[in-house]
C-alpha cells in the first residue's frame, strides 16, 4: 500500500469520523524505528502527552518550531507501545502533542508468502517509534459490513383486500374504534378503515391492545394472526373464541363453538400465528380476549373481532391503506416505517434527464424551471441535476406556497465536484426581503449550513461534518417550531443538535424556491438528487433509513397488491349506537353497573370505551336515565369543579346548562369541610337531586353509565358535520357570530339544499339540543310548541328564532350577532360497484402502457409505489377507492464477521498481541460485539473459547469509535493473559446486531497490532 494512500486514508478518517480525536494519533504503514534511533525523539519528549503538554521542556522554546513527540500507550510484556506525533512551540511553550499525518519514512510493505486468512497482510507500524518489531493488520472492507435481511418471516396473514364488504368488518365513514374490525383501524383523516401497520403501537395505551389480523389457510391449517397495538407485551394464554356469524362487534357474545389460547407473548407492535382452533368455516367470527372473566388486561376491547376467510397466506402485511378518487394520492410511500406525523409537501426526483422542468411528483404540482442547457447526469436514485456556478444551471420557482411551516423536514442527496471553495445553496425557500423562510447551503469552508428566518430574525446553524469528498451524501434537517429542536443529518446521522426558539413558525405565503442557489445568487458546484420537503418532523430512524446505501426498503416487497374500485351512490344510513348501547338524543349510553373503583377510575373506564361519565345537560336527559335504569341505587355523574373550584363542568367538556343540586349542595366549597369534594353523584335513596363527593370515593352502590357520540353513518356527512336521525346533516358554526340574515346566507353558501336548521318535530329538537351545548344559535323555523315560557314575546324587531341552552325556542332581535346551526342534505355514501380491479406491477414508468398499472420508483431500492399516468388519471377523476397493501420486508438479522490472523514473526521470535481498535456506526440501540481467541495454530482455534473484547454502542457511553488513544481501545495483551497473548494465531469475531427498528450498524474498519518478541 503506497504512502500517499495511507496518508489519504488517515486524513479521511480523521476528518470524517474523528474530528475530536485526542491527540489525533493514527497508526499507518511504514518501517518501525526504535526510540534510540530517532535523534529528534528523546525519552523526555516521549513523555509529552495531550494531558501534559509541557513535560520534558527545558526552558523556553523557539516560537514557530515544531518537534516530534510521543504519547505512551503502555508497556505490554517485552514491548513499549507509543504513538509518534509533533508539537508546536508558541509563546515559548510547547503545545499539545498531535499526530501530523506526515510520515518521515517510506511506507513499503515487504513481500510475504504468508497465507493469511485476514483481509490484509501484516506490515510494520509507522507511528510506534518505541517498538521496532511492531506490526499491524489494516482491515478496511471495500463496503462497510452491515446486517442483512433475516429470511425468517414475521408472521403469516391473509389479504385485507379479500374480505367481503358485508362482514361488518368495516363501517365507513368510520368514527369509533368498534367501526373497524379484522385488524383495521379508523383513519381519522380519510374516515376509512385501514390496515394496522406492523410495528405501530398506541403510545396512549399503557397495557396491551389485541386485534385479530386477516386470517388465512396454509397447507390445510387455519392460521389466526393475533397482533398487539399496545405498548406492553400481551402474555401467553390469551383466549380466542370462535362464534357463528352474526355476533361481530358485540362485547358479550353467545356460547363459542371453539376456543384456543395464544402460546407465546405478543410483543408491542408485533403479531404471532395462532393455530389449534380447529378447521374454521368461512364467515365464522373470531374474538380475541373475550370479556368472560378469563380476560387479560388491555386498553380497548371494542376492536377484538375478525371474520375467518380461508384465503392463501401471504407474507405479513406491513403497509396498507386506502386512497379515494377525490384525493390526489398517486404515490404510496414504501418506507420500512410510516412517516408518522409528516406530510409530503413536495418532491423533485430530478429524473427528467433533459429539458427545462423539474417535476414535483407529490401531487401538488410545484414544478420548477431549470436553466437552459442544464446537464442531467446519473444520480444517487435514478437521475440528478448537475448544478454549475458558471452559467449558472439551477432550478427555480418564482413563488411557491408550502403553507405555514411550523414543523419542517427537508431531505436530499448531494455530491460536490470541482474546487471545494464554491459556496452555494442546496435548497432554498427564503424571501430575503421579508426575512421569512429557510435554506440549506454549503459555505466556502465546505460546511453544511441551515438558515432559519422569520419576522426579521435570521439564524445560521452549521453541521459538524463536511461531506466534501466528491461522493454522494444524504443531507437532511428537521425543525420543530413547538420545541425549537433543530437537527442536521449527514448520511443518516445527527451532526448538529440545537434549539431554535427565535420563532415558532417560518410563515406562510408564496416565496421563491430554488435548487442549487441561495437568494443572494451563490450557486452550488456539484449534483443534487431527490429533494423532498415535509410538513412535520421525520424521526431519526426514518432519515437513517433514507440514507442507507442498500436502501430503506431492503429490496422489493415480496408481496404487494393494489386494487381499484369505482363507486356509486348508495342509500342513506342514519346514525346508530354499537350493540349493547342505548341511543337518546345525539348520544349513546351504556350502564356498566356498580364497581368498587373510584369515581376517577370510573371516568377513565368510560374514556377507554370512547366516551365519558353521564352528563345531565338537560332535565330530559335525567328523566331518560332514571326511566331506563329504574332499579339502580344511584349514578355517578361526570360533573366536576376540580380544575377551578366552584366552576362546574361535565367531563365531556360541556358546560352546566342547568343545575339540580340538593338542598345545601354542593357543600365542598373553599374553606368548608370537605372542600375536596370535586365530583358529583345521585343517591336515589336520598332523592334524585345532585350531590358533590370526593373523586377518590370508592362507594360501590352507584352505577357507572357511560355516554358517547352516535356512530357516524356510512358516508352521510362531511368532516365537522353531525349526521341527524332524519338523514340530514347539521353544522354548528361558532367561530364568527352573524346576524340572522347573514347566518342564513352563510348556510346557503354551503351548497344546494343547505340553510338554517328547520326543526320539524320535538324529536328533532331533542337531537339538535344535544348538539348546541351552551351556544344559543340562530335556527330557521320550527314546527310545534317548545317555546320557553313567555315566548314568543312579540317584542318589536324580535322576529327571528334562536335555540337556548335547554333546547327551548326564543324570539330575538334579528340583527344580533350569534352562532348559528346549519342543516343540509346528506352526502350519499360510497358503495362498491362490481368486483375490485387488481392493478398490474410493471418495471418502470417507461413500461406503463395501460390504465391499470403501477411501478416502483427504484426496483432495487423502492421508496414509492407510483400509479402509471393513465391509472392516476382514473383515480383522481372518478369517484373511486384505491386499496393497497405491501408485505413486510424481511427484518434485519445479526451478521457475524470472523477474521483469522497469523503472525509473520521471524524465526526465534513469536507474536505478542497488542491492540484491537475500530471505527463503527451503531445508530439507535444497535451494537457490534467484538470477541477474540488465540491458539498455536489455525487448526487449534476451534477448541479455544472466545473472550468478549468490547462492544461498540451509541449509549450509555459512546464506544462507536475506539482508536489507539481512546480509553475504550481493546488491550489484547491484558485481555488474553499469558500464555494466550503470545500464541501465533488470533481470531477476531464481530457480531453485528440491528436496533429495535431494524436499522443496521456498520463496521467500517479495524486494526490488530502485535509485536515480534523473542521466543520464550
Amino acid at each position: 500500500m503506497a504512502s500517499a494512500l495511507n496518508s489519504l486514508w488517515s486524513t479521511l478518517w480523521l476528518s470524517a469520523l474523528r474530528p475530536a480525536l485526542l491527540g489525533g494519533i493514527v497508526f499507518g504503514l511504514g518501517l518501525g524505528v526504535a526510540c534510540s534511533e530517532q535523534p529528534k525523539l528523546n525519552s523526555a519528549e516521549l513523555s509529552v502527552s495531550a494531558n501534559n503538554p509541557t513535560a520534558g521542556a527545558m526552558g523556553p522554546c523557539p516560537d514557530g518550531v515544531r518537534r516530534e513527540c510521543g504519547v505512551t500507550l503502555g508497556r505490554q510484556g517485552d514491548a513499549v507501545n507509543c504513538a509518534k506525533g509533533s508539537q508546536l512551540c508558541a509563546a515559548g511553550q510547547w503545545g499539545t502533542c498531535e499526530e501530523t499525518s506526515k510520515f518521515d519514512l517510506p511506507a513499503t510493505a515487504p513481500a510475504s508468502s504468508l497465507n493469511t486468512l485476514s483481509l490484509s497482510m501484516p506490515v510494520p507500524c509507522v507511528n510506534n517509534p518505541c517498538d521496532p518489531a511492531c506490526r499491524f493488520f489494516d482491515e478496511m472492507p471495500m463496503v462497510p459490513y452491515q446486517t442483512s435481511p433475516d429470511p425468517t418471516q414475521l408472521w403469516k396473514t391473509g389479504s385485507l383486500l379479500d374480505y367481503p364488504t358485508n362482514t361488518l368488518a368495516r363501517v365507513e365513514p368510520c368514527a369509533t374504534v368498534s367501526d373497524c374490525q379484522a385488524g383495521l383501524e379508523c383513519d381519522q383523516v380519510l374516515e376509512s378503515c385501514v390496515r394496522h401497520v406492523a410495528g405501530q403501537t398506541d403510545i396512549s395505551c399503557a397495557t396491551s391492545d389485541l386485534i385479530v389480523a386477516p386470517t388465512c389457510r396454509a397447507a390445510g391449517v387455519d392460521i389466526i394472526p393475533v397482533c398487539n397495538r399496545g405498548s406492553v407485551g400481551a402474555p401467553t394464554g390469551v383466549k380466542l373464541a370462535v362464534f357463528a356469524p352474526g355476533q361481530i362487534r358485540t362485547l358479550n357474545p353467545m356460547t363459542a363453538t371453539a376456543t384456543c389460547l395464544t402460546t407465546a407473548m405478543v410483543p408491542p407492535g408485533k403479531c404471532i400465528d395462532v393455530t389449534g382452533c380447529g378447521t374454521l368455516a368461512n364467515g365464522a367470527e373470531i374474538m380475541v380476549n373475550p370479556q368472560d372473566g378469563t380476560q387479560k388486561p388491555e386498553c380497548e376491547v371494542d376492536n377484538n373481532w375478525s371474520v375467518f376467510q380461508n384465503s392463501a397466506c401471504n407474507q405479513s402485511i406491513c403497509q396498507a391503506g386506502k386512497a379515494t378518487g377525490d384525493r390526489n394520492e398517486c404515490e404510496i410511500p414504501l418506507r420500512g416505517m410510516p412517516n408518522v406525523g409528516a406530510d409530503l409537501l413536495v418532491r423533485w426526483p430530478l429524473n427528467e434527464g433533459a429539458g427545462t422542468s423539474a417535476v414535483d411528483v407529490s401531487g401538488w404540482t410545484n414544478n420548477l424551471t431549470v436553466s437552459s442547457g442544464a446537464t442531467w447526469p446519473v444520480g444517487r436514485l435514478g437521475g440528478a441535476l448537475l448544478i454549475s456556478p458558471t452559467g449558472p444551471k439551477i432550478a427555480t420557482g418564482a413563488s411557491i406556497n408550502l403553507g405555514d411551516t411550523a414543523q419542517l423536514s427537508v431531505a436530499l442527496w448531494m455530491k460536490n465536484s470541482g474546487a471545494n471553495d464554491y459556496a452555494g445553496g442546496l435548497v432554498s425557500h427564503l424571501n430575503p426581503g421579508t426575512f421569512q423562510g429557510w435554506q440549506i447551503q454549503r459555505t466556502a469552508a465546505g460546511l453544511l449550513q441551515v438558515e432559519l428566518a422569520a419576522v426579521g430574525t435570521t439564524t445560521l446553524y452549521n453541521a459538524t461534518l463536511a461531506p466534501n469528498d466528491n461522493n454522494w451524501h444524504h443531507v437532511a434537517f428537521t425543525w420543530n417550531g413547538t420545541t425549537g429542536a433543530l437537527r442536521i443529518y449527514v448520511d443518516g446521522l445527527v451532526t448538529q443538535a440545537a434549539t431554535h426558539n427565535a420563532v415558532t413558525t417560518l410563515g406562510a405565503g408564496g416565496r421563491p424556491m430554488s435548487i442549487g442557489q441561495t437568494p443572494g445568487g451563490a450557486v452550488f458546484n456539484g449534483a443534487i438528487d431527490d429533494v423532498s420537503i415535509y410538513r412535520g418532523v421525520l424521526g431519526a430512524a426514518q432519515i437513517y433509513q433514507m440514507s442507507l446505501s442498500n436502501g430503506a426498503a431492503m429490496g422489493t416487497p415480496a408481496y404487494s397488491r393494489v386494487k381499484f374500485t369505482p363507486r356509486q351512490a348508495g342509500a342513506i344510513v342514519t346514525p346508530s349506537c354499537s350493540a349493547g348501547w342505548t341511543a337518546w338524543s345525539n348520544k349513546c349510553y351504556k350502564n356498566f353497573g356498580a364497581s368498587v373503583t373510584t369515581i376517577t377510575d370510573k371516568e377513565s373506564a368510560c374514556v377507554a370505551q370512547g366516551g365519558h361519565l353521564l352528563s345531565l345537560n338537560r332535565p330530559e336527559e335525567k328523566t331518560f336515565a332514571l326511566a331506563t335504569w329504574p332499579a339502580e341505587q344511584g349514578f355517578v355523574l361526570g360533573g366536576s369543579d376540580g380544575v377551578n373550584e366552584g366552576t362546574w363542568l361535565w367531563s365531556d367538556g360541556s358546560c352546566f346548562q342547568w343545575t339540580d343540586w340538593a338542598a345545601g349542595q354542593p357543600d365542598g366549597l373553599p374553606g368548608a369541610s370537605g372542600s375536596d369534594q370535586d365530583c358529583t353523584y345521585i343517591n336515589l335513596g336520598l332523592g334524585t337531586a345532585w350531590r358533590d363527593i370526593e373523586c377518590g370515593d370508592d362507594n360501590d352502590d352507584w352505577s357507572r353509565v357511560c355516554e358517547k357520540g352516535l356512530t357516524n353513518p356510512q358516508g352521510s356527512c362531511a368532516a365537522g358535520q353531525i349526521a341527524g336521525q332524519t338523514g340530514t346533516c347539521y353544522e354548528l358554526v361558532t367561530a364568527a357570530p352573524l346576524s340572522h340574515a347573514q347566518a342564513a346566507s352563510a348556510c346557503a353558501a354551503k351548497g344546494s339544499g343547505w340553510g338554517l336548521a328547520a326543526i320539524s318535530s320535538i324529536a328533532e329538537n331533542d337531537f339538535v339540543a344535544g348538539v348546541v351545548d351552551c351556544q344559543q344559535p340562530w335556527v330557521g323555523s320550527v314546527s310545534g310548541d317548545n317555546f320557553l315560557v313567555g315566548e314568543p314575546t312579540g317584542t318589536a324587531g324580535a322576529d327571528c328564532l334562536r335555540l337556548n341552552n335547554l333546547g327551548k325556542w326564543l324570539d330575538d332581535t334579528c340583527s344580533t350577532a350569534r352562532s348559528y346551526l346549519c342543516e343540509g342534505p346528506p352526502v350519499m355514501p360510497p358503495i362498491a360497484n362490481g368486483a375490485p380491479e387488481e392493478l398490474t406491477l410493471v418495471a418502470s414508468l417507461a413500461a406503463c402502457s395501460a390504465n391499470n398499472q403501477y411501478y416502483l420508483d427504484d426496483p432495487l431500492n423502492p421508496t414509492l409505489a407510483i400509479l402509471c399516468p393513465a391509472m392516476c388519471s382514473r383515480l383522481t377523476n372518478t369517484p373511486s377507492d384505491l386499496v393497497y397493501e405491501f408485505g413486510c420486508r424481511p427484518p434485519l438479522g445479526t451478521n457475524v464477521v470472523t477474521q483469522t490472523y497469523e503472525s509473520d514473526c521471524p524465526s526465534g521470535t513469536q507474536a505478542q498481541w497488542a491492540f484491537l481498535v475500530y471505527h463503527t456506526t451503531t445508530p439507535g440501540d444497535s451494537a457490534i460485539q467484538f470477541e477474540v481467541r488465540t491458539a498455536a495454530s489455525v487448526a487449534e482455534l476451534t477448541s479455544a473459547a472466545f473472550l468478549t473484547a468490547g462492544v461498540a454502542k451509541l449509549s450509555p457511553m459512546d464506544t462507536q469509535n475506539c482508536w489507539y488513544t481512546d480509553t475504550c481501545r481493546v488491550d489484547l495483551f491484558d485481555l488474553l493473559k499469558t500464555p494466550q497473548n503470545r500464541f501465533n494465531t488470533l481470531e477476531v469475531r464481530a457480531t453485528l446486531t440491528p436496533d429495535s427498528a431494524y436499522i443496521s450498524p456498520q463496521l467500517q474498519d479495524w486494526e490488530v497490532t502485535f509485536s515480534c518478541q523473542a521466543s520464550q
Side-chain angles (χ1 to χ4, degrees):
M1 187 179 296
S3 176
L5 288 176
N6 181 64
S7 180
L8 174 63
W9 177 87
S10 62
T11 303
L12 171 63
W13 280 111
L14 282 171
S15 63
L17 292 176
R18 308 291 293 155
L21 180 65
L22 178 62
I25 306 304
V26 180
F27 276 54
L29 302 179
L31 299 176
V33 179
C35 298
S36 60
E37 296 175 343
Q38 278 283 359
K40 298 179 183 178
L41 196 62
N42 56 47
S43 59
E45 292 165 345
L46 269 177
S47 67
V48 176
S49 69
N51 296 323
N52 188 15
T54 60
M58 304 298 292
C61 58
D63 287 356
V65 174
R66 181 175 290 277
R67 72 174 183 180
E68 291 183 343
C69 59
V71 178
T72 302
L73 302 178
R75 178 178 293 277
Q76 295 172 305
D78 299 327
V80 175
N81 283 288
C82 66
K84 185 178 69 173
S86 68
Q87 58 186 155
L88 179 67
C89 181
Q93 298 291 322
W94 291 111
T96 302
C97 183
E98 298 177 324
E99 188 273 333
T100 61
S101 297
K102 295 178 181 178
F103 305 108
D104 299 326
L105 300 173
T108 17
S112 174
S113 59
L114 182 67
N115 182 20
T116 179
L117 301 178
S118 64
L119 297 179
S120 65
M121 300 292 288
V123 293
C125 305
V126 72
N127 262 14
N128 184 1
C130 297
D131 181 15
C134 175
R135 301 179 68 75
F136 81 112
F137 293 89
D138 177 18
E139 303 288 67
M140 186 167 61
M142 295 295 292
V143 177
Y145 290 125
Q146 57 190 31
T147 56
S148 301
D150 186 344
T152 304
Q153 188 170 288
L154 292 177
W155 70 89
K156 305 177 186 68
T157 183
S159 172
L160 170 67
L161 276 60
D162 292 335
Y163 266 61
T165 57
N166 61 353
T167 60
L168 291 181
R170 306 179 182 90
V171 174
E172 295 180 329
C174 60
T176 65
V177 171
S178 63
D179 288 342
C180 303
Q181 305 290 333
L184 301 172
E185 296 177 355
C186 184
D187 185 309
Q188 298 298 323
V189 176
L190 296 175
E191 293 185 310
S192 177
C193 297
V194 299
R195 178 70 162 83
H196 164 69
V197 177
Q200 187 178 27
T201 58
D202 180 359
I203 60 175
S204 67
C205 175
T207 60
S208 61
D209 184 13
L210 296 173
I211 59 176
V212 179
T215 59
C216 61
R217 180 173 291 170
V221 176
D222 291 342
I223 296 175
I224 305 172
V226 176
C227 307
N228 180 10
R229 294 179 62 255
S231 56
V232 174
T236 59
V238 178
K239 180 188 290 186
L240 283 90
V242 181
F243 300 91
Q247 300 182 72
I248 189 171
R249 299 169 59 192
T250 63
L251 293 180
N252 298 298
M254 294 185 295
T255 305
T257 60
T259 60
C260 55
L261 302 176
T262 60
T263 57
M265 184 191 80
V266 189
K270 303 297 174 63
C271 303
I272 63 170
D273 292 337
V274 177
T275 59
C277 277
T279 301
L280 306 179
N282 270 350
E285 296 172 350
I286 305 165
M287 187 180 190
V288 63
N289 202 26
Q291 306 296 289
D292 59 2
T294 67
Q295 67 266 20
K296 309 296 183 182
E298 64 169 314
C299 293
E300 181 59 67
V301 297
D302 277 342
N303 60 351
N304 289 22
W305 283 93
S306 188
V307 178
F308 182 76
Q309 297 291 309
N310 66 350
S311 57
C313 290
N314 300 301
Q315 187 181 3
S316 47
I317 301 171
C318 279
Q319 186 162 326
K322 180 178 179 180
T324 56
D326 52 359
R327 293 170 59 90
N328 190 357
E329 296 186 2
C330 294
E331 291 189 349
I332 304 168
L334 294 183
R335 293 293 176 196
M337 60 184 66
N339 287 335
V340 177
D343 298 324
L344 182 66
L345 295 176
V346 66
R347 179 173 179 240
W348 296 288
L350 302 176
N351 291 336
E352 285 73 16
T356 58
S357 181
V359 177
D360 169 24
V361 299
S362 70
W364 298 102
T365 62
N366 288 310
N367 299 338
L368 301 180
T369 300
V370 178
S371 304
S372 177
T375 304
W376 302 81
V378 175
R380 176 57 182 79
L381 298 173
L385 180 62
L386 184 64
I387 308 298
S388 172
T390 58
K393 308 301 183 204
I394 57 176
T396 58
S399 179
I400 292 181
N401 187 352
L402 297 182
D404 195 3
T405 47
Q407 293 187 337
L408 182 69
S409 298
V410 181
L412 68 144
W413 289 90
M414 60 151 283
K415 176 183 179 182
N416 72 303
S417 61
N420 284 335
D421 58 355
Y422 277 111
L426 297 175
V427 184
S428 172
H429 192 218
L430 178 65
N431 188 330
T434 61
F435 285 96
Q436 282 191 324
W438 54 268
Q439 69 174 339
I440 181 168
Q441 60 185 334
R442 183 182 180 279
T443 70
L447 295 175
L448 287 173
Q449 189 176 79
V450 171
E451 178 178 358
L452 301 181
V455 293
T457 301
T458 181
T459 313
L460 303 176
Y461 297 93
N462 292 331
T464 58
L465 196 61
N468 297 321
D469 56 0
N470 298 345
N471 291 316
W472 283 106
H473 292 276
H474 189 263
V475 173
F477 81 89
T478 64
W479 176 65
N480 187 329
T482 302
T483 65
L486 174 76
R487 301 290 184 267
I488 305 177
Y489 297 81
V490 176
D491 293 333
L493 303 179
V494 175
T495 61
Q496 174 61 280
T499 301
H500 179 82
N501 286 322
V503 295
T504 57
T505 173
L506 299 178
R511 294 195 293 273
M513 174 71 76
S514 66
I515 296 177
Q517 177 179 275
T518 67
V523 180
F524 175 64
N525 188 28
I528 296 177
D529 190 12
D530 209 305
V531 179
S532 57
I533 303 171
Y534 298 83
R535 178 184 290 114
V537 178
L538 293 177
Q542 295 167 300
I543 291 177
Y544 184 82
Q545 284 190 327
M546 290 182 181
S547 72
L548 289 181
S549 59
N550 70 335
M554 297 184 296
T556 303
Y559 164 74
S560 65
R561 291 177 70 182
V562 182
K563 284 190 176 181
F564 173 79
T565 304
R567 299 196 308 254
Q568 66 176 7
I572 297 173
V573 181
T574 57
S576 60
C577 294
S578 304
W581 291 71
T582 302
W584 183 82
S585 183
N586 67 320
K587 296 178 184 176
C588 301
Y589 302 80
K590 184 172 182 178
N591 189 346
F592 289 88
S595 68
V596 296
T597 56
T598 66
I599 298 178
T600 300
D601 290 338
K602 292 176 189 288
E603 167 63 13
S604 297
C606 286
V607 171
Q609 296 290 332
H612 294 277
L613 280 171
L614 179 64
S615 302
L616 301 181
N617 297 100
R618 290 177 289 145
E620 293 85 352
E621 192 169 11
K622 174 183 172 182
T623 302
F624 156 76
L626 295 176
T628 305
W629 299 287
E632 300 300 320
Q633 297 186 51
F635 299 97
V636 174
L637 303 179
S640 173
D641 69 342
V643 175
N644 186 5
E645 185 71 33
T647 301
W648 292 85
L649 292 172
W650 297 109
S651 57
D652 63 0
S654 59
C655 65
F656 269 42
Q657 301 180 29
W658 71 297
T659 58
D660 189 26
W661 294 107
Q665 297 287 318
D667 62 358
L669 300 176
S673 174
S675 61
D676 59 348
Q677 295 180 6
D678 295 331
C679 287
T680 52
Y681 75 110
I682 294 176
N683 184 343
L684 292 177
L686 300 176
T688 63
W690 310 349
R691 300 175 182 275
D692 63 347
I693 193 172
E694 297 179 11
C695 297
D697 191 281
D698 60 357
N699 193 305
D700 60 355
D701 294 332
W702 310 313
S703 294
R704 169 172 63 96
V705 174
C706 298
E707 63 179 32
K708 62 182 179 180
L710 289 163
T711 299
N712 201 33
Q714 187 172 355
S716 59
C717 298
Q721 298 172 2
I722 299 172
Q725 294 174 320
T726 60
T728 59
C729 298
Y730 299 96
E731 184 172 346
L732 178 65
V733 183
T734 62
L738 299 174
S739 69
H740 191 276
Q742 292 170 330
S745 298
C747 289
K750 293 184 179 296
S752 176
W754 278 87
L756 280 171
I759 302 174
S760 59
S761 67
I762 295 300
E764 184 180 12
N765 189 78
D766 282 341
F767 183 88
V768 297
V771 171
V772 301
D773 191 16
C774 281
Q775 302 293 323
Q776 297 196 27
W778 290 123
V779 294
S781 62
V782 294
S783 299
D785 183 6
N786 196 38
F787 283 96
L788 188 67
V789 175
E791 296 284 343
T793 62
T795 304
D799 298 324
C800 296
L801 287 171
R802 61 183 168 93
L803 194 65
N804 84 345
N805 296 351
L806 300 180
K808 297 295 184 178
W809 309 338
L810 297 85
D811 62 353
D812 202 351
T813 305
C814 298
S815 60
T816 304
R818 293 191 171 280
S819 58
Y820 51 96
L821 183 67
C822 300
E823 181 179 8
V827 177
M828 301 305 282
I831 302 295
N833 180 17
E837 176 184 354
E838 188 157 345
L839 304 187
T840 301
L841 176 64
V842 296
S844 65
L845 173 62
C848 291
S849 59
N851 64 356
N852 64 343
Q853 298 171 331
Y854 70 101
Y855 62 96
L856 302 175
D857 60 341
D858 181 352
L860 298 179
N861 172 29
T863 63
L864 292 171
I866 306 170
L867 300 184
C868 287
M871 183 63 241
C872 180
S873 178
R874 291 180 66 193
L875 175 68
T876 56
N877 293 323
T878 60
S880 57
D881 293 326
L882 185 78
V883 182
Y884 55 87
E885 56 189 31
F886 294 90
C888 290
R889 302 169 186 94
L892 295 177
T894 57
N895 182 23
V896 179
V897 176
T898 303
Q899 297 293 340
T900 303
Y901 301 97
E902 294 179 283
S903 73
D904 60 348
C905 292
S907 177
T909 65
Q910 65 185 117
Q912 180 175 282
W913 299 103
F915 292 112
L916 167 66
V917 293
Y918 56 82
H919 287 126
T920 71
T921 301
T922 56
D925 56 1
S926 64
I928 301 178
Q929 176 174 288
F930 294 94
E931 300 169 286
V932 295
R933 63 182 177 182
T934 59
S937 65
V938 173
E940 297 176 67
L941 278 173
T942 55
S943 60
F946 276 107
L947 299 175
T948 300
V951 179
K953 292 192 70 175
L954 178 61
S955 63
M957 182 175 71
D958 188 348
T959 56
Q960 294 182 97
N961 298 300
C962 289
W963 216 236
Y964 290 101
T965 54
D966 293 313
T967 57
C968 58
R969 68 178 184 265
V970 180
D971 189 325
L972 295 174
F973 186 85
D974 287 346
L975 174 68
L976 294 169
K977 303 290 189 291
T978 305
Q980 287 84 358
N981 54 19
R982 301 200 68 180
F983 285 162
N984 184 62
T985 306
L986 171 79
E987 187 173 28
V988 176
R989 181 168 70 184
T991 302
L992 288 72
T993 304
D995 85 332
S996 52
Y998 301 117
I999 299 176
S1000 173
Q1002 292 187 340
L1003 175 56
Q1004 283 99 356
D1005 74 290
W1006 68 99
E1007 291 183 4
V1008 174
T1009 65
F1010 65 97
S1011 179
C1012 294
Q1013 298 295 319
S1015 300
Q1016 294 181 350

